[in-house]
Amino acid sequence: MLALVAAALLSAGLTDPEAAFGRLPFIDDVEVSPSGERFAASYNSETGSGLLIYELTEDGFDNRLISESDNLKIRRYFWKRDDRLVFSAGVPSNRYGTPTLETRLLAVTPGEPDLDRLFKSPGRRSGEFPVQIQDRIVSVLPNDPEHILVEYTPVRSPNTSLYRVKVDRAGAHRLVQGARRDSRHFMTDNQGNVRARSGQSDDRRRLFVTTSEGELKDISHRVEEGQPRFYFAGFPSSPSKAFVLSDHATPTLALYVYNVDTDTFGDLLFSHPSSDVYGIRQRLSDGAAYGAFFAEDDWNIHYFGDNIIQDLTAHVRKSLDADEIGYRGMNPQETMAVFWAAQQGRPGQYYILDIANNQLTALPLLYPELESVALGEVIATRYAARDGLQIPAFVTLPPGLADLEAADQLPFVLLPHGGPNARDFSGFDWLAQYLAHKGYGVLQMNFRGSTGYGAEFTAAGDRQWGQAMQDDITDGARWLVNAGYADPERLAILGGSYGGYAALMGAVRTPGLFTCAVSINGVTSLPELISDAKDYIDGEYRTRHIGRLWRDRTMLRENSPRLHADEISIPVLLIAGEDDRVVPVKHSVRMHNAIRRAGGQSQLVELPEGNHYLNVGQNRITALRAIGGFMEQCQR
C-alpha cells in the first residue's frame, strides 16, 4: 500500500508541492462588462495579487492590474459600465481600540491610472473617521448608468440608511430611505425598488415588507425564535409578490411564491428532500425565477422550463471534455457568457463563450502547476454518530487509490470545517488535496450544526461547541479506525476557525485518539469570544447559539481548550494571521503560552498581514510548509 502511494507521489513530479497547492488561484471570479468586450478577475502570482482588467484581442489579452498592498485586500467588484468598474477593498483597523475590518468603495476607468474613492475622506484635522463599511451594495441599478444603491451607517449615527451613490464622483450621495432603529438592511428587486427591510431590536429579529400599495408592513412574526425559517430570496416585477424560502411545510428550505399583501404562501416552486434551497436565478427583465440552487454532494441548479442559461450550459458541456460545468454570468445584451469547467475534483478554468460567433475561449488555469498532477479521489460517504445521526462526509484518498476499499491502514487527517454554520462540498479543496498528495487520507465531515441539511440538523448543534458537535468528529475518527481505513497510530486532526477550535478540543478531550493537532485561526476561549462580540453590532445576538456569558459560564469554561491546556499531551501547531479580524491572533498566542506553561509541546506560526482566510500574499504557502513539516514529525 505504501509503495503504491509513494509511486503515485513520484509520478506527480512536483518539486515544491507547498507552493503548487498553496498559491492562490491564478485567476478567479471572472466578471464580464455590459458590452461583453471587457472582463475583470482576481489575479494572483508570485509577484503580487490584485484585480485584473482585460480585453480579448486578436493578439491575445490586453490587460491592466490593480495591485493590492499589504494591508488592502480587494473583496468584490462589478462592472457598472464598460468604462467604469466598481470595487471594494478591506482595510484592517483598530478604531476606538476595537479590531475591525473596514471597507472602502472605489472605482476605476480602464486605461486611466487613477483609482477614485466613492466616499469622501475626512480632512486630516477634522477629527472624524471615514464611514467604516462602504461596500454593502444593495442594487447596481441596471437602468441607471451613473448610480448604485449602498446602505451604510454615517459617521456619528447609530443606524443604517440607504443612499444613491454616484460612481463617477466621491461623496455624491443622495438619501433614498432613512434609518430606523429596528431595521438596518434593505432588499430590492432587480430594478432597484426597495421591497423589504430587516434588522433587530431588543434581542428580536425584525422584518418588514413593502405592499403593493407602498406601505411598509411588519411581518416580524415570520422570523421570531422558534418559528419556521423564512427568508426573502428575490422579488419579481409584480409589487404584490415575492420569492421566499421557508420550511413551514417541509424538512428543508423550499422555494415559494409569497403574497406580500395577504402574508400568505402561494405556489411551491421547488423543494429537495435532503437539501435546503440556497437561492434563485432571476431574469433581469422581469425578475421571474428560472432556477433554484440546492446541493447534494456539490452545487446543483433546478431549472423551471427552458431558458438561455440552460441551453448555453448544455452547449458548453458538449464542447468541452469536462465533468463539471458552471455558469458564472452573462452581459445584459446576452452576447458574452462566462463559464467554469473542470474534470471531477480538479481546480478547472474559466471560459468565455462568444454566443453570436459560437466561439469558446479558455482563460488561464486556476492552478497551472497542478495541470498534470494526479489528484486524490474524493468519495462521498456517511457514518453514524453515537446517537445514530447520519453524518455526511467526504474522504479524499492519496492519488492512485480509487475507493475506500483500497484504503488500508492509511495515515489520516481529520479536517472539520469552519463556521460552524457552514458545510463542506465534494469539489476541489486545496488543503485536502495537499494532504492527500503527501500521502494522507483526509476525512471532512458535515457534523451536526452544519447548514444546508434542514433546520433540525443545524439546530442540533446549538450550544454544542465541544460537545455533540465534537462527538460527531470523534465518531468519524473511530469509524475510520474500526473500518480499517486509518492507522490508529497515525491519526491527526487539523482545522481552521471553528475547525481549529475542534482540533484543539480533540487534543483536550481525546488525546489518545490523535497523534497531533493543528489549529489555524482557531477559537481557544469561548467566554472571550462571546465577551469580545459585545463590542460589535448584534454581536451578542450572533453568539447566542454558542451560549450566554453568565448563564452558561460553566459550560463555556468546560469547552474552552485554553482553559484545559494542562490536559493536552500531544504536539500542537498553531497558525494565526496577525490581522485576523474574525478570531484575533491573541487566541492562538495565549493558547501557545498556556500549553508551554503546562509543559506541553506547542509551535506558533504568525502570518504577517494575515487575515482569517489565508488569502493574503504567500501566507497559504507558509502555512503549508509549517503543516507539512509538523505532520512529518508527528505522523512517523
Side-chain angles (χ1 to χ4, degrees):
M1 180 59 62
L2 292 178
L4 177 62
V5 173
L9 297 182
L10 289 172
S11 66
L14 275 182
T15 57
D16 190 352
E18 287 76 21
F21 287 94
R23 290 197 215 285
L24 297 171
F26 183 70
I27 190 171
D28 207 356
D29 297 329
V30 179
E31 295 285 335
V32 59
S33 72
S35 71
E37 296 178 359
R38 287 178 170 146
F39 303 87
S42 66
Y43 169 87
N44 302 283
S45 72
E46 294 183 31
T47 57
S49 300
L51 179 58
L52 186 68
I53 302 171
Y54 62 96
E55 300 179 27
L56 296 179
T57 67
E58 293 182 357
D59 299 324
F61 296 97
D62 181 19
N63 59 69
R64 175 205 174 175
L65 178 65
I66 300 172
S67 297
E68 295 179 330
S69 61
D70 289 340
N71 64 345
L72 184 146
K73 181 73 178 175
I74 292 173
R75 287 161 52 90
R76 54 181 66 107
Y77 43 89
F78 64 92
W79 290 97
K80 179 58 182 172
R81 305 186 303 263
D82 260 55
D83 65 345
R84 204 63 170 164
L85 181 71
V86 179
F87 66 97
S88 69
V91 181
S93 173
N94 202 38
R95 190 183 298 192
Y96 308 119
T98 301
T100 60
L101 180 71
E102 299 191 2
T103 61
R104 302 290 180 261
L105 194 62
L106 306 104
V108 64
T109 297
E112 296 185 5
D114 295 333
L115 303 181
D116 301 317
R117 294 178 179 268
L118 301 189
F119 283 69
K120 285 184 177 179
S121 298
R124 292 183 179 180
R125 299 181 181 179
S126 69
E128 291 191 351
F129 295 100
V131 170
Q132 283 185 285
I133 307 300
Q134 302 178 2
D135 63 346
R136 291 185 180 138
I137 298 165
V138 176
S139 174
V140 299
L141 296 177
N143 295 323
D144 181 342
E146 297 184 349
H147 299 89
I148 58 177
L149 291 183
V150 183
E151 63 180 25
Y152 63 86
T153 304
V155 176
R156 297 181 180 176
S157 172
N159 298 313
T160 303
S161 299
L162 184 66
Y163 296 86
R164 189 181 299 272
V165 173
K166 193 173 181 62
V167 299
D168 296 298
R169 183 158 55 90
H173 302 180
R174 183 169 65 83
L175 181 67
V176 175
Q177 285 199 15
R180 288 172 52 120
R181 187 176 66 87
D182 55 7
S183 59
R184 287 191 287 268
H185 303 292
F186 301 82
M187 290 165 270
T188 69
D189 59 23
N190 279 8
Q191 304 307 312
N193 303 302
V194 178
R195 302 286 294 272
R197 300 177 62 145
S198 66
Q200 181 188 328
S201 65
D202 301 325
D203 206 23
R204 179 189 174 207
R205 289 179 63 196
R206 305 300 301 273
L207 185 63
F208 303 85
V209 67
T210 304
T211 68
S212 60
E213 299 298 322
E215 298 177 354
L216 196 62
K217 184 175 184 175
D218 188 345
I219 57 169
S220 299
H221 63 280
R222 290 285 185 189
V223 292
E224 289 180 349
E225 288 284 338
Q227 293 299 309
R229 292 179 294 171
F230 182 96
Y231 307 99
F232 285 114
F235 300 90
S237 57
S238 170
S240 65
K241 298 292 191 296
F243 299 117
V244 299
L245 303 176
S246 174
D247 57 5
H248 69 283
T250 54
T252 55
L253 283 173
L255 178 64
Y256 293 88
V257 175
Y258 169 78
N259 189 305
V260 302
D261 294 330
T262 61
D263 185 23
T264 55
F265 291 96
D267 293 339
L268 169 64
L269 298 181
F270 177 71
S271 67
H272 189 277
S274 60
S275 170
D276 287 336
V277 176
Y278 287 84
I280 62 173
R281 284 203 188 281
Q282 292 179 265
R283 283 201 302 261
L284 182 62
S285 58
D286 59 3
Y290 65 80
F293 290 103
F294 67 101
E296 292 174 300
D297 298 333
D298 213 340
W299 288 102
N300 285 285
I301 185 166
H302 172 82
Y303 288 105
F304 310 129
D306 296 332
N307 61 81
I308 186 173
I309 306 303
Q310 190 174 18
D311 293 342
L312 292 177
T313 302
H315 173 72
V316 172
R317 189 179 301 278
K318 289 180 181 178
S319 303
L320 298 175
D321 179 22
D323 300 315
E324 304 173 37
I325 303 291
Y327 165 75
R328 291 296 185 264
M330 182 166 53
N331 64 325
Q333 287 80 13
E334 298 183 348
T335 59
M336 289 282 189
V338 180
F339 286 86
W340 168 87
Q343 294 290 356
Q344 180 69 38
R346 299 195 69 83
Q349 65 191 120
Y350 287 91
Y351 291 82
I352 305 300
L353 175 63
D354 182 336
I355 299 171
N357 297 313
N358 192 26
Q359 182 176 348
L360 201 60
T361 302
L363 298 184
L365 292 162
L366 273 67
Y367 289 81
E369 292 168 285
L370 301 181
E371 169 65 3
S372 59
V373 175
L375 298 182
E377 189 76 23
V378 181
I379 300 163
T381 186
R382 288 175 177 263
Y383 62 86
R386 63 192 64 186
D387 62 357
L389 183 66
Q390 290 293 307
I391 305 299
F394 302 100
V395 174
T396 303
L397 297 174
L401 304 182
D403 53 47
L404 280 174
E405 298 308 313
D408 181 15
Q409 299 289 302
L410 289 175
F412 250 91
V413 179
L414 269 68
L415 186 58
H417 62 70
N421 295 142
R423 61 156 291 180
D424 275 323
F425 298 90
S426 64
F428 174 80
D429 183 305
W430 62 273
L431 181 51
Q433 287 291 348
Y434 166 76
L435 293 168
H437 180 85
K438 299 291 284 186
Y440 303 105
V442 182
L443 175 64
Q444 296 170 277
M445 72 295 294
N446 288 324
F447 43 81
R448 72 190 71 202
S450 301
T451 53
Y453 298 99
E456 184 176 352
F457 193 88
T458 301
D462 285 358
R463 299 172 186 262
Q464 292 298 315
W465 284 51
Q467 301 166 82
M469 288 196 293
Q470 192 71 33
D471 291 342
D472 291 346
I473 297 168
T474 301
D475 293 343
R478 289 178 173 151
W479 167 70
L480 288 172
V481 171
N482 293 337
Y485 306 140
D487 180 348
E489 302 299 321
R490 294 183 295 166
L491 194 61
I493 184 167
L494 181 160
S497 193
Y498 175 84
Y501 163 85
L504 294 173
M505 284 304 297
V508 171
R509 292 280 185 260
T510 52
L513 185 61
F514 300 111
T515 57
C516 56
V518 181
S519 171
I520 305 171
N521 294 324
V523 174
T524 66
S525 169
L526 298 186
E528 187 172 279
L529 177 72
I530 295 171
S531 179
D532 287 349
K534 291 183 175 182
D535 293 336
Y536 303 91
I537 295 173
D538 298 340
E540 186 173 5
Y541 181 79
R542 290 197 305 271
T543 58
R544 71 196 187 282
H545 293 308
I546 301 174
R548 298 296 187 181
L549 196 57
W550 177 251
R551 186 178 65 195
D552 299 319
R553 60 191 181 280
T554 300
M555 179 271 286
L556 295 173
R557 290 182 63 83
E558 288 177 349
N559 294 287
S560 294
R562 191 198 307 164
L563 304 182
H564 300 275
D566 59 341
E567 299 175 36
I568 296 178
S569 58
I570 61 176
V572 170
L573 171 64
L574 299 156
I575 300 174
E578 291 181 347
D579 286 331
D580 190 339
R581 292 304 192 254
V582 179
V583 180
V585 66
K586 65 182 181 180
H587 276 263
S588 295
V589 172
R590 292 172 181 173
M591 186 79 213
H592 173 68
N593 293 336
I595 295 173
R596 286 291 187 93
R597 282 195 302 270
Q601 304 175 64
S602 176
Q603 299 178 35
L604 174 63
V605 176
E606 294 187 55
L607 302 174
E609 314 293 344
N611 63 12
H612 192 63
Y613 308 102
L614 292 186
N615 62 356
V616 173
Q618 304 295 305
N619 281 342
R620 237 178 233 188
I621 299 174
T622 301
L624 288 188
R625 295 202 195 287
I627 291 169
F630 179 77
M631 296 288 288
E632 286 178 8
Q633 291 296 316
C634 74
Q635 290 280 58
R636 285 179 175 174

